[in-house]
Amino acid sequence: MPTQDQFHLIKAIALISIAIGIVGISLGSIAASFDLPMWIPLVLSVTVLAGAAEFTFIGMIATGANPIFAAFTGLLINLRHLPFGLSVAEFIQNNIFKYMACHVMNDESVMFGLSQSTQALKLKAYWLCGVSVAICWPIGVILGFIVGKNIPDIYSFGIDAAFPAILFALIIPMLKNRLTRNRTFLGAVFALVSFPFLPTGLPVLVSLLSLMLGKK
């Protein structure tokens, strides 16, 4: 029988997974609007499992960019997975499913994993969130592709705002901690300042500087 904390954790992961599936709908609809074959966003959603990189890749090849250059740009955007991997190495090392553990490593699974109070709960949160995202993301992409064939402007429904809104609601309780609040504020400032000058996804890397500076 799950404890109250575990119940709230499962509920939060379910909400964020649904939100990610909704964002996947927008990705699938964009691919459909560019008349790309369905297998391209579907394969990306299953193998890459990184939204910013997938949006960038599809947008670039849809406008005529070289697929190799588009893939390289996606890899550059996903450089944030390097510090992610270091922070969750304990979830991956000495694990017979270590390759799958690496595959389901994303912003959300790392956040939920590291924010738990005990080691056992951290591991459960990481896996539950990672696997949930890995399931909901491609489902959303498929639905979005189908819907995109019939609705020209999927963003008119405001689904692109669902994910950041839910994510913000989830982190609000963590801001009670002064250190977390300071680092969050600095990270947001760094990301906003660098946003006009860097490709999509890289401002997130810049925001990590707040972990070194926001100590008071």
Side-chain angles (χ1 to χ4, degrees), residues 184-198 203-204 206-207:
T184 300
F185 176 76
L186 281 176
V189 170
F190 291 151
L192 287 173
V193 171
S194 60
F195 174 76
F197 310 103
L198 297 176
V204 176
V206 177
S207 70

Side-chain angles (χ1 to χ4, degrees), residues 57-107:
F57 180 83
I58 287 180
M60 291 182 67
I61 63 172
T63 54
N66 186 297
I68 295 178
F69 180 71
F72 177 78
T73 303
L75 288 173
L76 185 63
I77 291 173
N78 274 357
L79 281 178
R80 68 184 187 279
H81 283 69
L82 292 177
F84 283 175
L86 295 174
S87 64
V88 298
E90 57 188 324
F91 303 152
I92 300 173
Q93 293 174 345
N94 302 322
N95 192 312
I96 60 174
F97 301 109
K98 59 183 178 181
Y99 296 110
M100 179 58 68
C102 291
H103 182 62
V104 300
M105 181 180 65
N106 51 59
D107 306 52

